[in-house]
């Protein structure tokens, strides 16, 4: 189990990846402060690939507004969960819950075209940017519908991870104005800092960037790398499984004790930091709604493996956040955060809010937050009626 996938901080290789004999290039996205995927030009016509020419994960149906002016577009935003990981990497992008939503909706209305704007690590602020990017770009592309009848933010968990980061942030870092409590940061932040230092004469940063680009070239062109990489991945996995994150913690800690003794802040400070995050998510969703002229919009909070644990759940080999918060702790913190978030978002005009957090079972997941193929199917069966009800 990869902890980077659990935290969804760096789901993909930081300088490139290759899946099913198809080259994908991972590049910094300056607009969102995260990363994005580009498909190598020689593979743009390969129908087996899960990424299209825009760098978006494919959906089953692709419209053409030159041939049909009555297409009804639905935009879905989210992080790697809505992106479809790990099914996308297993050649099963057509079985992700977003694709199944499109398939289900088109049984009733053949004019529906779902566009998946999700990507690894996107929080609600970055989802807002993805929507703005879409509306700035869609008029140049016949396969991107202009008439967007519904926008949907699906997931919710990425902002929770950032909530945990904020809870554990020291006061000095928290008070730095430009960092905005860490709620507007992305994967590429460190890389951008390195570029800045290199441009200002830091020879060590410049050398590191040079080496990084050499490695990227080797990855893209070396047959030996393609053989060695799976071996190194297995080694790293074994190392990870034997780390401190494998500790067995069976006791269930009281909520107040989690805040005071593990996170080491007061309950009052906890509530203040929670409000910062929830208010931020609310502003982001209001902005997303406004981008589409306040038309229909939904927010769906998806389940995680740790959101539905019971008292008898065995925590051995389960994820531990920063070596101190076990799955039981995360369960309590996530529930408190989610309930406060849902209450806040439910007051936003033109936003329909749904929580599926308590409906899952253990085998819906491949880790603490990403769905198995069964999980994608189950989630889709819950989401399709929601979408149909909002569209009617």
């Amino acid at each position: 189990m990869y902890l980077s996938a659990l935290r969804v901080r760096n789901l993909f290789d930081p300088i490139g990846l290759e899946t099913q004999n198809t080259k994908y290039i991972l590049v910094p996205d300056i607009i969102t402060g995260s990363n994005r995927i580009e498909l190598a030009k020689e593979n743009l016509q390969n129908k087996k690939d899960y990424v299209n020419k825009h760098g978006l994960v494919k959906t089953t149906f692709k419209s053409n507004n030159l041939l049909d002016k009555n297409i009804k577009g639905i935009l879905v935003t989210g992080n790697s969960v809505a992106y479809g990981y790990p099914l996308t990497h297993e050649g099963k992008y057509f079985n992700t819950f977003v694709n199944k939503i499109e398939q289900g909706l088109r049984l009733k209305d053949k004019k529906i075209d779902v566009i998946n704007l999700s990507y690894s690590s996107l929080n609600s602020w970055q989802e807002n940017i993805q929507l703005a990017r879409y509306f700035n770009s869609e008029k140049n592309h016949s396969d991107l519908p202009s008439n967007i009848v519904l926008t949907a933010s699906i997931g919710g968990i990425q902002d929770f991870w950032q909530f945990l980061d904020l809870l554990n942030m020291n006061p000095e870092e928290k008070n730095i104005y430009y960092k905005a409590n860490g709620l507007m940061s992305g994967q590429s932040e460190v890389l951008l800092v390195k570029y800045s230092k290199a441009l200002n004469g830091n020879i060590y940063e410049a050398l590191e960037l040079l080496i990084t680009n050499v490695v990227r070239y080797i990855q893209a062109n070396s047959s030996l790398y393609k053989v060695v990489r799976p071996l190194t991945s297995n080694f790293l996995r074994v190392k990870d499984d034997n780390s401190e994150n494998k500790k067995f913690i069976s006791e269930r800690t009281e909520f107040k004790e989690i805040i005071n003794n593990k996170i080491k802040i007061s309950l009052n400070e906890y509530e203040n930091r929670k409000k910062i995050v929830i208010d931020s998510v609310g502003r982001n969703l209001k902005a997303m709604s406004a981008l589409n002229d306040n038309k229909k919009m939904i927010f769906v909070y998806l389940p995680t493996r740790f959101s539905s644990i019971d008292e008898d759940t065995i925590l051995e080999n389960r994820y531990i956040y920063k070596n101190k918060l076990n799955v039981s702790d995360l369960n309590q913190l996530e529930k408190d955060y989610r309930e406060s978030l849902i209450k806040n978002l439910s007051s936003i005009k033109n936003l329909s809010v749904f929580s599926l957090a308590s409906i899952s079972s253990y085998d819906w997941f491949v880790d603490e937050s990403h769905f198995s193929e069964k999980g994608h199917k189950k989630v889709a069966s819950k989401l399709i009626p929601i979408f149909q009800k909002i569209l009617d």
Side-chain angles (χ1 to χ4, degrees):
M1 179 182 294
Y2 292 103
L3 295 185
S4 58
L6 296 179
R7 288 296 317 283
V8 204
R9 288 302 183 209
N10 192 14
L11 179 60
F12 301 122
D13 188 307
I15 50 179
L17 61 87
E18 183 161 345
T19 304
Q20 294 188 337
N21 300 318
T22 300
K23 294 177 183 176
Y24 297 90
I25 303 170
L26 189 65
V27 296
D29 184 339
I30 304 302
I31 296 178
T32 63
S34 62
N35 291 317
R36 60 184 176 84
I37 276 186
E38 287 185 357
L39 185 61
K41 291 182 178 179
E42 63 267 26
N43 295 298
L44 287 177
Q45 303 303 318
N46 190 337
K47 295 182 179 180
K48 295 182 180 180
D49 299 325
Y50 66 88
V51 176
N52 66 20
K53 66 179 183 180
H54 307 301
L56 303 175
V57 64
K58 289 180 181 177
T59 55
T60 308
F61 173 72
K62 182 173 73 173
S63 64
N64 186 338
N65 55 40
L66 297 179
L67 301 177
D68 190 342
K69 300 295 184 182
N70 298 314
I71 293 296
K72 303 173 185 176
I74 296 176
L75 302 183
V76 172
T77 65
N79 67 356
S80 57
V81 178
Y83 189 78
Y85 177 83
L87 295 192
T88 47
H89 288 51
E90 297 171 352
K92 300 177 181 178
Y93 75 87
F94 41 83
N95 280 339
T96 65
F97 70 76
V98 175
N99 270 280
K100 288 187 175 297
I101 288 171
E102 181 180 70
Q103 294 160 17
L105 294 179
R106 283 180 55 80
L107 293 176
K108 184 176 180 180
D109 188 347
K110 293 296 185 182
K111 299 297 182 181
I112 294 293
D113 183 9
V114 175
I115 304 295
N116 192 347
L117 304 179
S118 306
Y119 193 69
S120 171
S121 294
L122 295 188
N123 59 21
S124 56
W125 176 74
Q126 293 165 319
E127 291 179 41
N128 178 41
I129 296 175
Q130 291 288 58
L131 280 184
R133 190 206 309 267
Y134 182 88
F135 289 118
N136 285 338
S137 303
E138 54 86 8
K139 289 180 174 58
N140 299 322
H141 304 281
S142 60
D143 60 331
L144 299 179
S146 298
N147 177 29
I148 304 302
V149 298
L150 176 65
T151 55
S153 174
I154 305 180
I157 195 62
Q158 197 67 43
D159 289 298
F160 172 71
W161 290 128
Q162 294 204 298
F163 170 55
L164 290 182
D165 288 345
L166 180 57
L167 288 180
N168 286 272
M169 191 179 294
N170 62 58
E172 292 78 14
E173 186 177 7
K174 178 177 177 291
N175 292 334
I176 298 176
Y177 173 82
Y178 83 90
K179 289 194 173 183
N181 283 310
L183 302 178
M184 300 173 71
S185 62
Q187 293 173 318
S188 297
E189 180 183 10
V190 174
L191 184 58
L192 293 175
V193 171
K194 289 181 179 294
Y195 275 123
S196 177
K197 290 181 178 179
L199 289 172
N200 283 283
N202 188 316
I203 189 171
Y204 298 104
E205 298 292 356
L207 181 60
E208 182 178 345
L209 290 171
L210 173 62
I211 293 173
T212 296
N213 280 286
V214 170
V215 172
R216 178 183 297 175
Y217 177 82
I218 293 173
Q219 287 180 327
N221 295 278
S222 172
S223 298
L224 177 61
Y225 171 76
K226 299 170 188 176
V227 175
V228 171
R229 181 180 177 184
L231 299 178
T232 58
S233 296
N234 289 335
F235 169 77
L236 291 174
R237 180 181 297 185
V238 171
K239 181 179 179 181
D240 195 45
D241 285 346
N242 287 283
S243 71
E244 285 298 308
N245 291 312
K246 190 179 177 181
K247 291 186 301 184
F248 174 61
I249 303 177
S250 59
E251 70 275 8
R252 184 171 179 85
T253 309
E254 294 298 324
F255 186 79
K256 183 178 179 180
E257 185 179 342
I258 296 172
I259 305 303
N260 291 340
N261 299 338
K262 289 194 173 184
I263 301 177
K264 298 185 185 305
I265 60 175
S266 67
L267 285 174
N268 185 59
E269 179 62 17
Y270 168 82
E271 291 295 335
N272 288 338
R273 297 191 187 193
K274 182 174 69 172
K275 187 175 187 303
I276 288 172
V277 177
I278 289 175
D279 287 349
S280 174
V281 176
R283 286 191 296 272
N284 293 331
L285 291 173
K286 288 177 183 178
M288 292 168 67
S289 177
L291 282 170
N292 195 31
D293 298 324
N294 293 310
K295 295 179 183 177
K296 294 177 179 179
M297 181 176 180
I298 64 175
F299 172 82
V300 181
Y301 197 103
L302 293 178
T304 59
R305 183 177 275 172
F306 60 82
S307 68
S308 56
I309 66 172
D310 54 40
E311 295 293 334
D312 298 323
T313 296
I314 297 176
L315 304 181
E316 188 176 10
N317 297 330
R318 296 282 292 274
Y319 177 57
I320 298 179
Y321 176 86
K322 293 191 174 180
N323 290 329
K324 56 183 177 180
L325 297 177
N326 61 49
V327 169
S328 176
D329 301 332
L330 294 178
N331 171 262
Q332 296 182 70
L333 290 168
E334 187 272 339
K335 180 182 179 182
D336 180 68
Y337 166 82
R338 168 174 30 94
E339 290 177 348
S340 298
L341 176 69
I342 297 301
K343 181 179 179 180
N344 179 278
L345 297 184
S346 297
S347 65
I348 297 177
K349 186 178 180 180
N350 300 317
L351 178 66
S352 299
V353 181
F354 303 89
S355 177
L356 304 182
S358 61
I359 67 168
S360 63
S361 61
Y362 191 91
D363 61 352
W364 286 27
F365 302 92
V366 296
D367 55 38
E368 296 296 340
S369 59
H370 295 98
F371 295 117
S372 62
E373 190 164 357
K374 176 181 178 179
H376 276 275
K377 182 178 180 180
K378 292 289 188 178
V379 168
S381 70
K382 301 294 183 180
L383 289 177
I384 291 173
I386 290 175
F387 275 70
Q388 287 177 332
K389 180 180 178 179
I390 298 299
L391 290 171
D392 288 342

